[in-house]
Amino acid sequence: VIVGHVACCKTKAPTARRARDLYCSALFKKSVAYLEPRVDGWAVLSALHGVVLPDQVVEPYELTLNTMPARARSAWAAKVSAELRAKWPGARFIVIAGRNYRDGLNVEMDVPFAGLELGELLSALTKG
């Protein structure tokens, strides 16, 4: 089983909706479009909620790991790692997310676009 994960993003719809529709950034949409044909399922790595399934209804929120203290990011990563292992035991994970959303995750994962700057990442996702 291969499961894809994409980081949440700052740009969100103004009201509650399914996670697949809540996050509105080009990076989020291109990441999902890249993952969907390559994986058996996918989820969002949410700074507030942890692992969020695409059809889970979520209220808009303002929280990012990028400004979170290291101790809080470490606690988030431990919680999310446990959630990932519980939801998909033995799965291989493909993660499209920044370093703060990947570091500390204690699961086997591929990071196909690690090290790319935002513009390079958007271009690579567009090319597929």
Side-chain angles (χ1 to χ4, degrees):
V1 173
I2 302 172
V3 182
H5 295 287
V6 59
C8 61
C9 63
K10 182 177 175 108
T11 307
K12 298 175 187 72
T15 58
R17 55 194 70 199
R18 298 178 315 161
R20 71 172 60 248
D21 302 318
L22 178 71
Y23 304 99
C24 303
S25 76
L27 178 57
F28 180 84
K29 290 177 180 182
K30 287 177 184 275
S31 296
V32 169
Y34 174 86
L35 285 172
E36 282 187 319
R38 292 169 172 83
V39 297
D40 299 304
W42 64 276
V44 178
L45 299 177
S46 164
L48 181 62
H49 302 291
V51 178
V52 178
L53 298 175
D55 291 326
Q56 185 176 333
V57 175
V58 180
E59 292 278 344
Y61 59 92
E62 292 298 324
L63 185 65
T64 177
L65 295 183
N66 297 330
T67 57
M68 213 178 262
R71 179 177 284 161
R73 280 196 316 270
S74 180
W76 177 89
K79 173 186 171 240
V80 167
S81 295
E83 285 182 64
L84 293 173
R85 288 191 301 273
K87 286 183 189 300
W88 298 284
R92 188 173 123 234
F93 299 103
I94 297 175
V95 179
I96 302 175
R99 174 163 283 148
N100 287 332
Y101 285 80
R102 298 187 322 258
D103 284 358
L105 289 181
N106 188 17
V107 296
E108 185 177 329
M109 67 178 139
D110 295 327
V111 184
F113 303 106
L116 295 183
E117 296 295 327
L118 180 59
E120 296 170 318
L121 176 55
L122 288 168
S123 177
L125 288 167
T126 300
K127 292 175 186 169

